[in-house]
Amino acid sequence: MGEERIGSLFKLFQSLGSLVLNLVFRILSVGPIPNHIAFIMDGNRRYAKKKNLEEGDGHKAGFSALMSVLRYCYELGVKYATVYAFSIDNFKRKPEEVQSLMDLMKEKIEGLLKEESIVNQYGIRVYFIGNLNLLNEPVRVAAENVMRATAKNTKCVLLICVAYTSTDEIVHAVQESCLEKWEIKASNGVEMDKKGEIEAVNGVECEQKLEEHCAIQLVDIEKHMYMSVAPDPDILIRSSGETRLSNFLLWQSENTLLCCPRALWPEIGLWHLVSAVLSFQRNYSYLEKKKKQL
């Protein structure tokens, strides 16, 4: 009898929780809803230390928090969510810690394809963003499998930044733009002489060809960004009270609202998200005005 009462109370609290959640989202939906929210998941290791847990347990708790936050985002109507999962700079950590994170990452990536996963529940298309060649083969293959399996999903988008820094993204975009420009010019009669200089062919002056060859526009750079598959974020949330971007989405965050709750990432929950969205709605007119000035 006691167990039945406990079960009934649990269902009651679940129903009340769902009711409160729906009410909160209805209130928020009166104002503008952000199209894209990005997250810097800071504080997993500090959380483990604070709770006297093994270091890896902090990242596991952080993953659970991420799943909850993503559900709230998609229920609210956010189309794009981006998470900073692993920086290129993280490869400088102790080899055993890096390997442990790679193993955990592989496990969680493969879990995205399970029938009951958040990806299948919400029809999410998943992109892994970054220099994926830096990942070990099992993690890279797992990531490629998820991207391929979710390629036809259209309801929501999840971008997971791994082996990523913004400076690496910008360098990559510039290199790809230069390569593309060179291939276009070469196909139109621009050739290199033995000294590596552009020479005139087909009667066109060398100076003119050099000018054309070097004319890389802003649109060329943006087209080759890793993040070109998504609009710029409306909100960037960094946990643990830090106010640095840490080489994350530097190019894309010019008009992004930065929110820095003091909670460590595993402690992040619904009300931190609600606070960020309310702040976005209060500043919406100003942010839109700044965008139009560009």
Side-chain angles (χ1 to χ4, degrees), residues 233-234 255 280 286-294:
D234 300 299
N255 288 296
F280 169 76
Y286 172 77
L287 294 170
E288 288 299 300
K289 182 178 178 182
K290 294 296 289 184
K291 288 179 183 178
K292 292 175 182 178
Q293 291 175 354
L294 295 178

Side-chain angles (χ1 to χ4, degrees), residues 92-210:
K92 299 175 183 177
R93 294 181 180 179
K94 295 180 292 185
E96 56 271 22
E97 182 182 352
V98 172
Q99 185 58 51
S100 176
L101 288 173
M102 288 293 114
D103 292 341
L104 178 62
M105 194 180 300
K106 178 177 178 293
E107 175 190 334
K108 299 307 182 183
I109 289 173
E110 291 175 341
L112 293 176
L113 292 181
K114 292 182 179 178
E115 187 175 347
E116 70 277 10
S117 75
I118 187 174
V119 168
N120 291 315
Q121 289 179 26
Y122 291 91
I124 301 170
R125 180 167 188 176
V126 181
Y127 291 95
F128 287 87
I129 303 295
N131 190 346
L132 302 187
N133 290 327
L134 296 179
L135 299 172
N136 63 34
E137 186 176 358
V139 175
R140 186 176 64 255
V141 169
E144 290 169 351
N145 288 340
V146 170
M147 287 192 285
R148 189 162 46 248
T150 63
K152 294 183 180 180
N153 292 350
T154 58
K155 292 182 180 179
C156 309
V157 177
L158 172 61
L159 302 104
I160 304 173
C161 294
V162 292
Y164 174 92
T165 61
S166 199
T167 48
D168 177 75
E169 179 184 29
I170 294 168
V171 169
H172 164 81
V174 171
Q175 290 173 338
E176 290 296 309
S177 298
C178 290
L179 181 61
E180 181 183 59
K181 286 290 182 179
W182 172 245
E183 289 175 347
I184 291 173
K185 300 310 175 185
S187 66
N188 284 284
V190 178
E191 298 177 351
M192 298 291 286
D193 64 16
K194 292 181 180 179
K195 295 180 182 179
E197 298 176 347
I198 296 175
E199 60 179 9
V201 293
N202 298 333
V204 181
E205 294 295 330
C206 180
E207 290 80 7
Q208 293 175 334
K209 292 196 172 186
L210 181 60

